[in-house]
Amino acid sequence: MPSHDLSWRLYRPTDELAALHDASAILPRRPRLLAQSAGVFSGLTTSGHSLFPGLCWLVLSDHSGPVALLPLRASVERDGPVPLRCLRTINRFDMLYGDAQLRLGFDANLLVNSVLGAKLFDGKPCDVFRIYDARGGSGYAELAAAAAPGSRWTAAGASVLATGMAFPEWRRAQSKNLRSQIRKSAQRLAERGEVHSRVITAPGEIDAALATFVAMEAAGYKQSLNPLAREPEELAILQRAFAMHASAGEAFIHELTIDGRVVASQVGFLLGGRAHLLRVAYDEAFTEASPGTVLLARLIEWCCGHEGIDSIDCIVRQGWHDRWHPEVETSTHATIPNTRTLAGCVVGLLRWGRRLLRPPATPHSPSSHSSVA
């Protein structure tokens, strides 16, 4: 099925996926991005269809083999002036769950044209291709860069804490207020009992520590939000990812205990020189002592002492990160209309009209690329 000199093949979760896994193994990964994690990819292929309806994978190939693998959601959007056949990236709570794997140096314009030309909707192409939460270095960020300037924008994507120095140096660089908060939290915890912390990476201990985390998270303030205990589809993806990465020493769970009782916990992955901090939970019986503050300070200390880790990637951007003085990495977003379809032309014209009517940016107003058009 040719499309601009590239062939395409679509895989759905119900298909035999051996060839999909082969393509993923051939194409390079960027381990500093959790969305390109082999473990998360494996979890998506086994459990992702429940969490992401319309999940599929598009593989583009030339005569020498795969050039791109794109995890996508295919759906028909009906909330606008016309129904739209849409391909979009796999996102949840500002986190990209699956990134495009691309052959290095391949023409991004050709790849985007091939995506738009692939007839994935009962023999018809998509009307619009939407990219969200593509961090710097992401395969999807490369594809978004090929979009027209008015079709893409950037926003604060994730907080990253640098740990490529000795911990005393890190501590000296922090504000007096943050150092005081850490010290006071540690004192309040010490008044409750003997405080210890440990980073668990051993495969034989990960499962039990993850179960402890899930139970503590569900008992806290997140019980009315999205604890993993109430998100069995997401939990299944992460359990698969933890099992896969733990065997290579790439999964971690960081626990803070008082008299042997776990009072706070963090879970994540150690990939590409980064600790990817996925979730945090704490026992609300110790809320007034701010165990999360001590927990993050000790994780930073552990990472500063680990020669293979230079940063902690918080994956998303939240207001409470600010007191830790993070670097903020941007994410790229794009809405790419397919001008070869009637509905795609309508999308393109509507977006063009809105850009034309929008007042020019000033130093005191956000630029046209800082929010969704």
Side-chain angles (χ1 to χ4, degrees), residues 58-301:
L58 178 64
V59 176
L60 303 173
S61 304
D62 64 8
H63 64 280
S64 62
V67 299
L69 186 159
L70 289 77
L72 295 162
R73 296 180 71 178
S75 64
V76 178
E77 299 179 352
R78 302 185 184 277
D79 54 352
V82 294
L84 295 177
R85 297 186 298 269
C86 176
L87 292 175
R88 59 163 295 164
T89 51
I90 301 169
N91 311 75
R92 197 160 189 262
F93 305 125
D94 301 322
M95 173 183 168
L96 186 64
Y97 257 80
D99 193 18
Q101 290 179 243
L102 309 179
R103 185 188 295 174
L104 296 178
F106 207 83
D107 184 357
N109 288 286
L110 177 57
L111 293 175
V112 170
N113 285 332
S114 297
V115 172
L116 297 177
K119 298 179 179 180
L120 309 181
F121 293 84
D122 295 326
K124 297 178 181 180
C126 70
D127 298 311
V128 64
F129 176 27
R130 302 192 190 277
I131 297 172
Y132 297 114
D133 301 316
R135 300 271 297 279
S138 158
Y140 275 126
E142 287 189 27
L143 299 186
S151 296
R152 64 178 184 265
W153 64 97
T154 59
S159 301
V160 176
L161 306 175
T163 63
M165 73 291 286
F167 184 65
E169 180 184 349
W170 176 89
R171 188 167 46 203
R172 285 193 299 270
Q174 304 313 304
S175 67
K176 181 179 180 181
N177 184 49
L178 177 59
R179 294 197 304 269
S180 175
Q181 288 177 9
I182 295 170
R183 183 179 64 256
K184 290 178 180 178
S185 296
Q187 290 173 346
R188 288 193 293 266
L189 287 171
E191 291 169 359
R192 304 287 294 270
E194 189 172 358
V195 181
H196 289 287
S197 63
R198 63 171 186 156
V199 177
I200 301 166
T201 59
E205 300 180 64
I206 286 285
D207 286 348
L210 182 58
T212 298
F213 174 90
V214 170
M216 182 164 56
E217 184 189 44
Y221 74 96
K222 289 185 180 180
Q223 62 183 304
S224 61
L225 299 175
N226 66 313
L228 287 173
R230 293 190 179 184
E231 301 281 352
E233 298 90 354
E234 184 176 10
L235 179 57
I237 293 172
L238 295 180
Q239 284 174 327
R240 178 84 173 198
F242 268 93
M244 188 167 184
H245 286 303
S247 63
E250 297 171 340
F252 78 90
I253 298 179
H254 180 212
E255 292 183 339
L256 187 74
T257 62
I258 295 181
D259 291 339
R261 174 180 173 178
V262 179
V263 300
S265 179
Q266 298 160 322
V267 299
F269 300 98
L270 305 170
L271 301 167
R274 281 189 166 179
H276 299 264
L277 186 53
L278 190 63
R279 282 181 175 244
V280 181
Y282 60 87
D283 186 332
E284 291 191 9
F286 296 82
T287 300
E288 76 286 351
S290 301
T293 299
V294 174
L295 186 72
L296 184 51
R298 292 200 176 187
L299 180 65
I300 292 170
E301 181 175 10

Side-chain angles (χ1 to χ4, degrees), residues 351-369:
R351 294 180 67 81
W352 176 80
R354 281 184 292 197
R355 291 197 302 274
L356 191 66
L357 295 173
R358 181 182 299 140
T362 69
H364 302 290
S365 65
S367 78
S368 61
H369 290 238

